Amino acid sequence: MSMIKEYQTVSEVAGPLMLVEKVEEVKFEELVEIELPGGEIRHGKVLEVNQDKALVQLFEGARGVSTSGSRVRFLGRGVELPVSEDILGRVFDGQGRPIDDGPEILPEKRLDINGEPLNPFARDYPSEFIQTGISCIDGLNTLVRGQKLPIFSGSGLPHSKMAVQIARQAKVLGTQESFAVVFAAMGITFEESEYFISDFRETGAIDRAVLFMNLADDPAIERIATPRMALTAAEYLAFEKGMHVLAILTDMTSYCEALREVSAARKEIPGRRGYPGYMYTDLASIYERAGKIMDKPGSITQIPILTMPEDDKTHPIPDLTGYITEGQVILSRPMHRKGIYPPVDAPESLSRLKDKGIGEGKTRKDHADTFNQLYDAYTKGLAARELEVILGEAALSQTDKMFYRFAEAFEQEYIKQDEYENRSIEETLDLGWKLLSALPVTELKRIDSEFLEEFLPKFKEENTEEETS
Amino acid sequence: MNQGRIVRVSGPLVVAEGMEGAKMFDVVRVSDQRLIGEIIELREDRASIQVYENTAGLGVGEPVESTGEPLSVELGPGLMGSIYDGIQRPLDAIKAVSGDVISRGIEVPGLTREKKWDFKPKAKKGDKVGPGDVLGEVQETTLVNHMIMVPPDIEGEIVEIKSGEFTVEENIVKIKTEDGVQELNMIQRWPVRETRPVKKNLAPDAPMVTGQRVIDALFPVGKGGTACVPGPFGSGKTVIQHQLAKWADADIIVYVGCGERGNEMTDVLLEFPELEDPRSGEPLMKRTVLIANTSNMPVAAREASVYTGITIAEYFRDMGYSVALMADSTSRWAESMREISGRLEEMPGEEGYPAYLGTRIAEFYERAGKAICIGSDDREGALTAVGAVSPPGGDLSDPVVQSTLRVVKVFWSLEAELAYSRHFPAISWLRSYSLYTDDLEDYYIENFGESWIQMRERARTILQEEDDLNEIVRLVGIDALSPENRLIMETAKSIREDFLHQNAFHEVDTYTSFEKQFKILDLIMHLHDRSVECLQSGKSIEDLLELDVKEEIARAKFTPEEQLDSFEQIKSNIIAQTETS
Ligand SMILES: Nc1ncnc2c1ncn2[C@@H]1O[C@H](COP(=O)(O)OP(=O)(O)OP(=O)(O)O)[C@@H](O)[C@H]1O
Ligand SMILES: [Mg+2]
């Protein structure tokens, strides 16, 4: 191990970047410590080495860093997180330093925050149903243990409320284990973060939570490290300590903006809307850190949250995220305006892993069919609603009207629920049948006749009883 | 060979000096960790290298050593059922070395060295053999008879040929060539960026039957053809690719997961050994090779992975097999080109992609085709290539989509709107096309008679008419339509919902034989024709919309293949319920 050399050869500071010259043996991605003239310590990492120059990304930004007087030390290792089981219940800043009043972590080990890619051959396919108690997730966009399912939201929409409700209610049927929560805040407000923390406190989840906080007024570039810190903690808890971890990352939009800032400062050729061309790869290096491993007990289920700029789903941040994650839950402003919580846009939302997480022995055998039918009927209702807006009610055929009514009922009874309402999967599935039973059997093409015979009569009766009473 | 030294590290790009004597595309070993890289630019003794492994921790001054060889794959027994990373390292072997994660600098050969294969010679001492001639066979899996061929660059007389159990490294034959006697084992090494030769290219003349109704009926791809599946996220590209990998009537499947999700590869790995090939009843994995370079694996290896895949596919094509290659997603491959090009500071073209994007894509699809293979028996092989494309925001003006459409002959256009209403496969029946329908005409006539083509064209016309009528309905409502047009709308709906719609996750619906496809469409068209007659004889459209038999038609697709006789009953019900007397 060579001695750590110190350099005072900073030649340029621009935005979040710093150029150090006449360096030797500097490594790509190496952690850098910068001592300002006043003694303050800052951190950064090496973005590029070229001959005797090192380009350094400054986590805390360039403020106060000058070309003269700053001492730069290359620490001979990457950015690391010290871990031990004592991280549970603790709060850290965006660079993994404790910010609650607790003691320093006595590390069992230090882990490089970039992790290493999981071998697809070692993965186990996620298939255990997680009941969140929210119908439009459990019934329509079923979440499974080890999945990465983001929430695409917009500013002012209740994504935090939903994430908190999921964290509070999530459980795997037939097991007593509760989830450990790893929470990474990136650029969100103090108020928003308090909302999460106070709920974790109330429910006692805080004891099984690890929090990494980079708030709106914290250094923006630090955010690039924050989700990696959090996922390193999550991997440690899941794959070394056998826990089931729910990782909530919010807000990925702030994260991507920090990435863009660095890219712009490097004068890279920008991709769409100024975001770097490698953003897909970069985001994948975060989102792919979810899943299960063959013959290991733990799991990481990821719920990243992002706010879509201008509610635009084709914006690069939601777009690239959707290309990597295993589905998405999209929140809709019109639904929110209608007073529907959770304001989920059901047709555009999707859980790709649901198919192996539902059905007999997991949820119920009629799940897949009823879910297809609900979608079918709801989208037909939405089409009828659109027609009505253009042509007026008179233009609607009898069938249109029927689906129109179905869509209304579906939104009001199925999607809408209270933030403290915890519906069992049985309740959710029955609710689906109840709504479908209002349609003629000939319209229920997507349901196997066996299930129609078994389930439908029960709900048909209920319906007629209601009508006569 | 001179050892160079690193002078620059920028992400996956490393620049080294002192590389005299190195050639373009040579594979190099970077640093003492011996990371694998490839030279992609040379200026005097200065080489730009794309590194196939994570470069964190590399620094200036570390050694770089050229192997003097281009990036190559090993071809021979042991490919089937394997899962490789982008540069043909077996992921199971990597797991054995480095556990659940992929560490760096691991060296494992593409073909297992331990296993002994039963080599049965087909040629004998004294035979004059040339490129592609079959020397012998190895039954690699229950589904694949692996032919051991003379490599494309060797010609001569067999002076010795063995028989029995050998590892891939043991010599099995001696050939006297102009440059002396050559000893061969069962491994051929081939540079991935070089097309393997064929004797003659042929036009596809038979469809690759996929069991997917919208594809087989409306937009078929020929064996040896090319197709692309562009679509926004979540529109069903991967499911289609998986469906083809499962059910297409190809002898060999090469599936390249390029920069996509880890779990999707795991899914294939866990599912394929359980699934039966509908023709042989054997596990599907026995005819499948997987290349997995997932999105969290190094970006440069993503670029290599499609070449690794297609080289393996060509090799099996050379044996006279019909091979299908799936690449999901070619956009990730293009993006990795873009990233490297950006770091090389090349002049960017459209959307930052390098100017050679179109050429690379065209070269890739050109490697597909039906051909007379090299070898004196003139066997015919076919390589069908299907690429998914993932354009930003689903926008088809994307350069990768456009470059791809210029070269491929089948376009399965996935539409977000269809996916939202869970109409799967979300292949647009209006926007998609297949340029093979003419080439395949003779095949259809020979196998199904003229009626199939007629029926298909009528179905297509009805769908087109529905689209026009929809315009009117949007303006003035459905009641304004004539009964005849109402009927067209109704039949179109039935074609869409009862025929084109296909649930990949339904036990029966997931695969439909051509015969069953024919019969379902026949039922729908039969009802249509009878209904037209009913309208002419004065029956009301409302009555026709309510026929009980419609539900039976809707459920026809769930009828198991061995119960297709029951369709006769449906047909007589159609006749009975549309009696005009
Ligand atoms: N034929 C089908 N039958 C039933 N469901 C389907 C079918 N095709 C797609 N789906 C549904 O759509 C989801 C998304 O499909 P898929 O993963 O293939 O999308 P994709 O186009 O590959 O998306 P991405 O670009 O993000 O990878 C699937 O998880 C499945 O739920
Ligand atoms: Mg996909």
Side-chain angles (χ1 to χ4, degrees), chain A residues 92-225:
Chain A
F92 302 89
D93 74 358
Q95 284 183 60
R97 298 170 295 213
I99 48 170
D100 50 10
D101 300 325
E104 285 289 317
I105 298 294
L106 276 179
E108 177 193 323
K109 55 167 85 175
R110 298 175 166 275
L111 298 172
D112 190 299
I113 65 162
N114 288 319
E116 281 182 297
L118 208 53
N119 187 334
F121 191 77
R123 278 184 189 267
D124 193 8
Y125 198 75
S127 61
E128 295 142 322
F129 167 66
I130 297 178
Q131 179 177 296
T132 66
I134 303 173
S135 289
C136 63
I137 295 184
D138 296 352
L140 305 177
N141 298 292
T142 319
L143 177 68
V144 297
R145 202 140 73 174
Q147 183 171 13
K148 39 190 181 288
L149 187 66
I151 300 178
F152 288 10
S153 186
S155 47
L157 297 180
H159 46 265
S160 302
K161 209 181 197 179
M162 221 180 145
V164 165
Q165 188 175 5
I166 294 173
R168 192 169 51 226
Q169 298 180 171
K171 67 166 184 190
V172 170
L173 297 181
T175 66
Q176 293 306 312
E177 305 155 273
S178 52
F179 285 91
V181 175
V182 171
F183 179 78
M186 291 156 283
I188 64 172
T189 61
F190 175 75
E191 209 178 313
E192 260 180 296
S193 82
E194 266 314 290
Y195 178 79
F196 280 94
I197 296 174
S198 68
D199 199 273
F200 294 157
R201 265 205 202 97
E202 268 165 42
T203 58
I206 196 90
D207 298 335
R208 288 175 64 82
V210 192
L211 282 60
F212 293 86
M213 313 301 281
N214 168 285
L215 299 185
D217 57 353
D218 287 330
I221 304 306
E222 180 184 283
R223 261 162 232 169
I224 295 179

Side-chain angles (χ1 to χ4, degrees), chain A residues 323 352 354, chain B residues 233-239 260-261 424 502 504:
Chain A
Y323 271 125
R352 297 166 192 241
K354 64 170 189 307
Chain B
F233 66 78
S235 55
K237 298 179 290 296
T238 303
V239 173
E260 295 286 310
R261 302 172 185 85
F424 289 119
Q502 186 168 5

Side-chain angles (χ1 to χ4, degrees), chain A residues 322-325 350-355, chain B residues 231-240 243 260-261 264 328 332 390 414 424-425 502-505:
Chain A
Y323 271 125
I324 304 163
T325 53
L350 167 73
S351 161
R352 297 166 192 241
L353 301 189
K354 64 170 189 307
D355 302 292
Chain B
F233 66 78
S235 55
K237 298 179 290 296
T238 303
V239 173
I240 288 175
Q243 287 297 91
E260 295 286 310
R261 302 172 185 85
E264 290 174 347
D328 183 16
R332 308 301 165 220
S390 319
L414 297 182
F424 289 119
Q502 186 168 5
N503 184 351
F505 303 102

